[in-house]
Structures are given as C-alpha cells and as structure tokens.
Amino acid sequence: MPELPDIVVYLEALDQRILGETLNRITLGSPFLLRTAEPPLASVHGQKVVTLRRLGKRICFGFENDFWLVLHLMIAGRLHWKDNAGKPIKNGAATKLPNKRNLATFDFSNGTLSLTEAGTQRRASLHLIQGTAGLEELNPGGLEVLDSD
C-alpha cells in the first residue's frame, strides 16, 4: 500500500487544521465526485469535525451527529489548505473553484481545503455516510498494515 504514508501525513496535517472546526460549506466542481445521494451533502454544513481517521486508503472526516465524509484520493488526488488569515467568508459565499482540476472545496471556519486531481480521468470519490455502520460498509477489508506484526 504505497499510498499509506501520504494518507497518514494528510491526517496529521488535517488534525492540526480542522479538528474542532466548523464546516461552513462544500462546493463541488464535479458532480461525479459525490457517490452518495442520501443524506444530502448540506447535512454537514454547520457541523464540527470531531474526529479524523483512515479507512484503508480513504480519509474519514467524522462530524457531529455521526456524519462521516469519506474521501478517496486515488492516485492523482491532492489536498491543499489555504488559511482565512482572519478573513471570514462574506455572506456565506462559497469559495470559487479557480480551474478544472479542482473537484471540491471545503470551507471551514478557519480556512479552505481544496481537492484537486491531476490528469483527465476523474477517479477520486466522496461519500457522505450517517452512522458508523454505514462507514464500515465502505471498509475494503483485508490486512490492516499498521496492526499486523
């Protein structure tokens, strides 16, 4: 699992930036990124991030009320952070998606997390799940590398 170091580094960086912060809005640049219809994506708007974890090669954002955003970056997906630097988002306006590589932006109370994907094939995925039982349905199974001896 060559992606494991990348996922662990992302989780450490996200932990410092968004844990305990409120997600104001998600803006999708591609409708094909979102792989679930229920619950609606707006269900996590205004919710705080209470935990972060890894599920195989996926990054899981745990929110209040047992909502989970599950992000699979695939091979070409990247996350980028931009601080608000004390500048609140005006009138709840969403962050613009500046180019076609941006698949989504996640506007938090303290900054914006952007998801980009290089190349022309869009393979990254985003799921919104309610409940840990639903989260376990996305578990690919297999050997957990960090738990094996």
Side-chain angles (χ1 to χ4, degrees), residues 143-149:
L143 177 66
E144 180 55 51
V145 177
L146 297 178
D147 292 341
S148 66
D149 56 12

Side-chain angles (χ1 to χ4, degrees), residues 77-100:
R78 300 291 182 266
L79 294 174
H80 310 274
W81 179 255
K82 183 176 180 182
D83 280 324
N84 280 348
K87 300 175 189 172
I89 297 172
K90 296 179 182 178
N91 301 326
T95 301
K96 292 182 181 178
L97 297 166
N99 64 46
K100 63 183 178 181

Side-chain angles (χ1 to χ4, degrees), residues 10-62:
Y10 274 133
L11 283 171
E12 290 171 356
L14 290 170
D15 186 66
Q16 296 171 9
R17 290 174 174 88
I18 67 170
L19 194 61
E21 298 294 332
T22 300
L23 176 64
N24 296 323
R25 177 185 310 268
I26 300 172
T27 305
L28 294 180
S30 170
F32 302 107
L33 175 68
L34 185 62
R35 305 295 169 90
T36 55
E38 287 295 324
L41 205 52
S43 301
V44 291
H45 293 175
Q47 301 282 329
K48 285 188 179 183
V49 177
V50 294
T51 189
L52 294 162
R53 64 179 273 202
R54 182 180 63 81
L55 185 67
K57 297 178 185 179
R58 296 172 175 94
I59 298 171
C60 304
F61 303 77

